[in-house]
Amino acid sequence: MKPLTAFNLWSWIEQNRHAFEPPVGNKVIWEDSQFTAMIIRGPNARRDFHVDPSDEIFFMLRGDMVLEYMQGGQRQSQVIREGGMLLVPALTPHAPHRPADTWGLVVEVKRQLTETESLVWFCERCDARLHEVTMHVGDIEKDLKTAIERFDGSEELRTCRRCGHVQPDKPPVPQPPVSQPPSVSRPPDKELVR
């Protein structure tokens, strides 16, 4: 067993800054773990929905992001604020949208050789399924990028067979979520509790 060594995460990010380029913009922290723990920098210009065979944990280190997900055939969204965490259950189609200069940590279980995951694209107008790629991801930094670039480069794949809408060849750059006052949790007033 190697010695256990703690390190400064922001120093590690600085040493690997060159690796955080769109469209995915991620870098795996440890290669020799049962987990895939990766740092992801925005903007991530993606519109695919990831369908993972295991749970994923999202933690926002810096800035706020929006996580779109499909529920009951309809698009939903959840803002994850700086310092916030979110658990995405296995098999939930989800699409992270990180604005520029945001930083997040995502932790998921490393895939076994027999496990696959999917990238699914939905029409931005009617939510119909446009395209799906199911694969075993051996190198998350390269395999996802290849699938995304193939979709973006094909007008046929980007055209909705239900409503005819053609998605642009480049996804929009994510914008910061609308600011909301932070929710403050406080104990109930004693006079109101009976």
Side-chain angles (χ1 to χ4, degrees):
M1 178 172 132
K2 291 193 267 185
L4 301 180
T5 307
F7 62 93
N8 182 291
L9 185 58
W10 287 111
S11 294
W12 181 90
I13 289 170
E14 278 305 313
Q15 292 167 6
N16 292 281
R17 191 172 276 275
H18 65 279
F20 299 102
E21 294 300 322
V24 181
N26 65 356
K27 175 81 176 143
V28 174
I29 300 171
W30 297 283
E31 296 292 343
D32 57 349
S33 171
Q34 65 182 331
F35 296 104
T36 298
M38 61 193 125
I39 298 297
I40 304 176
R41 179 185 184 196
N44 64 335
R46 292 177 63 177
R47 56 185 154 205
D48 60 288
F49 283 69
H50 184 209
V51 182
D52 196 324
S54 61
D55 294 351
E56 283 187 64
I57 299 169
F58 285 75
F59 177 70
M60 286 307 294
L61 298 165
R62 183 168 295 153
D64 303 335
M65 67 166 280
V66 174
L67 184 92
E68 277 189 297
Y69 61 98
M70 296 299 286
Q71 185 175 40
Q74 294 188 335
R75 220 175 273 252
Q76 308 290 326
S77 64
Q78 174 63 56
V79 174
I80 308 172
R81 302 276 179 209
E82 184 171 314
M85 290 185 78
L86 178 73
L87 175 69
V88 177
L91 305 177
T92 302
H94 59 282
H97 304 294
R98 291 180 177 80
D101 298 319
T102 57
W103 294 90
L105 169 68
V106 175
V107 179
E108 56 189 43
V109 177
K110 191 176 283 184
R111 309 297 176 271
Q112 301 298 316
L113 291 175
T114 57
E115 289 182 303
T116 59
E117 57 196 274
S118 298
L119 298 181
V120 183
W121 287 264
F122 296 95
C123 177
E124 58 194 27
R125 289 222 176 124
C126 71
D127 289 334
R129 186 180 298 245
L130 298 177
H131 181 61
E132 181 172 350
V133 176
T134 299
M135 63 188 145
H136 171 76
V137 175
D139 184 336
I140 196 164
E141 295 167 26
K142 292 179 183 160
D143 296 344
L144 297 185
K145 183 176 180 179
T146 300
I148 292 166
E149 288 174 347
R150 180 172 178 263
F151 177 83
D152 288 345
S154 170
E155 186 170 326
E156 181 182 350
L157 294 178
R158 292 183 284 109
T159 302
C160 181
R161 290 176 292 285
R162 181 191 295 166
C163 74
H165 174 68
V166 180
Q167 296 198 141
D169 63 342
K170 295 198 184 316
V173 175
Q175 300 301 311
V178 176
S179 294
Q180 297 174 350
S183 61
V184 178
S185 177
R186 64 181 187 116
D189 295 331
K190 289 186 180 181
E191 299 86 42
L192 299 176
V193 178
R194 295 179 191 226

